[in-house]
Amino acid sequence: RLATGALVEELELVDGRLRYQKVSGGGPATGWVSVNLKDKALLVRAAAAAPAPEAGGAVAAPAPAAADEKKPPDQGWSVKEGDYYVTLGVVFKKPGTDPETGKILKLSRKVGAVVHTTGKIWKSPKGGIWVELDTSSGDTGAGEKPGYAMIDGPGCGTPGPCLQKADAQDGPPVILRAAAPSGTKAWDGTETAKEFVVLPKTPMQEVKLVIEMLFGLAAGSVHLSGGDKVAGAATVKEAGLRDGDQVGFEVKGPKAINLIVMSPLEEGVKLLDLPIREDWTVAQAKSALCSATGLKKGSTMMAKGKMGERVKEDATLPENELVVQCGYKEG
């Protein structure tokens, strides 16, 4: 535990729990502590006239006041064997010592936060990859109690790995931001900018892939902006990107179009709008239509025709052709 009078820097404050980096005094170098215990203050803000904390408490140094006063990324940074970085802002944890438990906790953590593990991997029958948390030094970055954290796996709605292996030889991570393109939502359904973890040596091609993953964009559709330095750079370091920078990009590719699906039972009655892209095949449009209406793919046929008229045998649309090649367009 932190010693009385210890000075710590606030890294994150969540529901009365403070993640800190120790500046001076006795106690663990980093971890999570409660700010209050009922009506007792365990930590107080450090200031010239601040009252001393009650017994067993510590002093919290205020976070930097100005957003543009960026802390050097290597200040207070350290990782060890078995550490991972949080990549998507969430950690899925199986509590306890048995990874086969069906209970899973969803924890919110900052992108780039460090999770301490023993390195022991467990693979679930469903394909998930989990790693055992290391509780030997107190807080693991995913709580102080034993458990397993998910590195990657199906069924949780994530677009990619939740944890990324940390290596001290790579140097401090770089946390970049990307704004959601107009009309696009991120993987978690929000329209806010997303942070993501890279390293100085990360290829810029991988940066584009991560942005496409975060916002569900088509492969190859992200084009980075920022001039020749960024466009011609091979790595994050060569591009001059620093911790906290926002990556500018454009989305180029097939245009989105909207098809109007009419009711097969009532003439002139609109059933629904079906948003697709110009590069979609008839099979893809059919799949989207069945998902939206509950129709079964096996009993649904895509064909040209008019309501009330028998569909001709040659009217069936080839499922491997593009919808636009079959004459359909916006509206």
Side-chain angles (χ1 to χ4, degrees):
R1 57 186 284 178
L2 288 170
T4 300
L7 182 67
V8 300
E9 178 185 355
E10 176 185 332
L11 301 179
E12 185 176 1
L13 184 62
V14 180
D15 296 332
R17 295 274 291 169
L18 179 108
R19 185 166 72 90
Y20 70 88
Q21 180 78 39
K22 188 179 70 175
V23 178
S24 62
T30 185
W32 286 83
V33 292
S34 296
V35 176
N36 298 289
L37 180 60
K38 296 183 179 179
D39 57 347
K40 175 183 176 182
L42 300 181
L43 288 93
V44 295
R45 293 282 181 186
E54 297 188 34
V59 178
D68 57 352
E69 293 178 7
K70 295 179 182 176
K71 181 179 71 174
D74 58 347
Q75 183 177 330
W77 169 84
S78 66
V79 293
K80 63 181 187 297
E81 183 69 24
D83 284 352
Y84 284 80
Y85 298 123
V86 175
T87 58
L88 296 173
V90 292
V91 174
F92 293 95
K93 176 181 178 180
K94 284 177 173 280
T97 57
D98 183 5
E100 295 191 28
T101 177
K103 184 177 181 180
I104 299 177
L105 306 177
K106 183 179 180 181
L107 310 174
S108 295
R109 293 293 184 266
K110 275 192 172 183
V111 171
V114 176
V115 174
H116 306 298
T117 82
T118 65
K120 180 182 177 181
I121 298 294
W122 178 76
K123 296 182 179 180
S124 76
K126 295 182 179 180
I129 303 174
W130 300 75
V131 62
E132 183 183 44
L133 296 171
D134 181 7
T135 60
S136 63
S137 57
D139 183 51
T140 65
E144 299 175 356
K145 296 182 179 180
Y148 282 75
M150 188 181 78
I151 298 174
D152 197 5
C156 291
T158 52
C162 295
L163 297 177
Q164 174 181 323
K165 192 72 180 288
D167 189 333
Q169 294 184 349
D170 292 331
V174 180
I175 311 301
L176 301 177
R177 292 169 56 84
S182 178
T184 302
K185 293 184 179 180
W187 67 272
D188 58 357
T190 64
E191 298 179 358
T192 57
K194 288 297 173 188
E195 293 183 327
F196 58 98
V197 181
V198 294
L199 300 168
K201 68 177 185 180
T202 299
M204 292 303 291
Q205 181 62 33
E206 189 172 317
V207 171
K208 293 192 285 187
L209 293 176
V210 172
I211 294 173
E212 290 168 356
M213 174 195 73
L214 289 173
F215 299 106
L217 303 172
S221 63
V222 167
H223 296 258
L224 300 179
S225 54
D228 294 338
K229 184 176 181 180
V230 173
T235 65
V236 168
K237 183 177 181 179
E238 287 183 16
L241 294 172
R242 300 175 56 195
D243 197 63
D245 282 351
Q246 180 156 314
V247 181
F249 66 95
E250 294 180 298
V251 180
K252 298 179 180 179
K255 294 180 180 179
I257 61 175
N258 185 66
L259 300 181
I260 300 173
V261 180
M262 306 301 291
S263 170
L265 304 176
E266 300 178 74
E267 186 173 2
V269 176
K270 176 180 170 180
L271 183 63
L272 55 83
D273 288 313
L274 186 67
I276 68 168
R277 293 200 312 263
E278 287 181 328
D279 61 340
W280 276 28
T281 63
V282 171
Q284 289 174 299
K286 173 182 172 179
S287 178
L289 177 62
C290 291
S291 296
T293 60
L295 294 171
K296 294 182 179 180
K297 291 183 184 179
S299 57
T300 300
M301 180 179 68
M302 304 292 276
K304 285 188 175 181
K306 294 182 179 181
M307 182 180 174
E309 295 182 4
R310 183 180 179 84
V311 177
K312 298 178 181 179
E313 292 184 5
D314 60 352
T316 302
L317 301 176
E319 293 202 349
N320 61 342
E321 281 196 18
L322 299 180
V323 173
V324 293
Q325 290 177 330
C326 295
Y328 293 94
K329 56 185 179 181
E330 173 67 28

